[in-house]
Amino acid sequence: MTTKFIPRAISKIATAFEQSEGVGARVRRSIGTATVRNFTPFLMLDHFKVSPDAGFPDHPHRGQETITYMIDGFFDHEDFTGSRGTLGPGDLQFMTAGRGIVHAEIPAPNNSVEGLQLWVDLPTELKECEPRYRDLRAKEVPVAEPNDKVKIKVISGRSHGIDSVKDLAYTPMWFFDVSMKPGSHIQQEIPTDFNVFLYIMKGSVTIEGKKISQYQNVFFDTKGDGLEISVPEDAEGEAQFAIIGGKILNQPIVQHGPFVETSKERIYKAFMDYQTHSNGFERADGWSSEISKRGGRF
């Protein structure tokens, strides 16, 4: 006897409207707005498009992790620890800011880039950890194919019997890039102690009889086994979307720009540490990235 799958109900749908960010970059933000300020453990989700003469020059972070997922183009990164590299289509970078990091993210020369960047809160006990990077290349991502109309890139977590290669974030989370052709249907299990959302990058899907379209983000209740999603036979084309879930952190979120703490006092301290190059920001003193200087753009 099989147990009946109980889908999670929709709690909110938010449309990601385009806005300016960084220097000349355009993003569609669906978490980190007045509509959805945060969705523990998630602090921000940007669907970014950056032209060759734009980018995100030197800037700090503290108290969170960032996950960058490249959809198209080549994106260079560099930080004050000496780490640097390039992400290509399908590649991911998991960066833990911890107690402090300053970095830059700039398109490789003559490149326009598109991708997702997600900010994830760190548990209180890990906010003072040392910064670190973990890269995941496109060729390393396993793929689940529950039927001939569905392809699921298992970036983190488990889908239809396929496990991700490794845990890349300190905060437990699942991350899938799903492509579904017209006439397809899936049920994706999600851990019971996770929040989960679904962001549409291309096309549209049907959930609870509702049509969810490109650039919309669907947030779900915590009750239920997971998500139930379909693409009708008469859909105009394939749908592509991200399913992202993370462990609910029962802690305060106090955020000011790139600093995420659990109290106003800790936020004030983060700004003071950054300004005085101390307590994690020592290497910021006199540092500037080489990639931000290319062509005198910034």
Side-chain angles (χ1 to χ4, degrees), residues 57-118:
D58 305 357
H59 60 280
H61 289 277
R62 173 181 275 185
Q64 83 270 56
E65 299 185 279
T66 67
I67 300 169
T68 304
Y69 180 38
M70 295 304 300
I71 297 170
D72 191 35
F74 293 86
F75 212 26
D76 291 340
H77 64 90
E78 180 184 354
D79 72 38
F80 71 7
T81 71
S83 296
R84 61 189 302 169
T86 300
L87 300 176
D91 291 345
L92 293 103
Q93 179 191 82
F94 291 68
M95 184 192 81
T96 302
R99 62 199 299 259
I101 201 164
V102 180
H103 75 152
E105 301 155 293
I106 308 292
N110 305 311
N111 252 261
S112 292
V113 301
E114 178 183 0
L116 300 179
Q117 186 167 93
L118 179 71

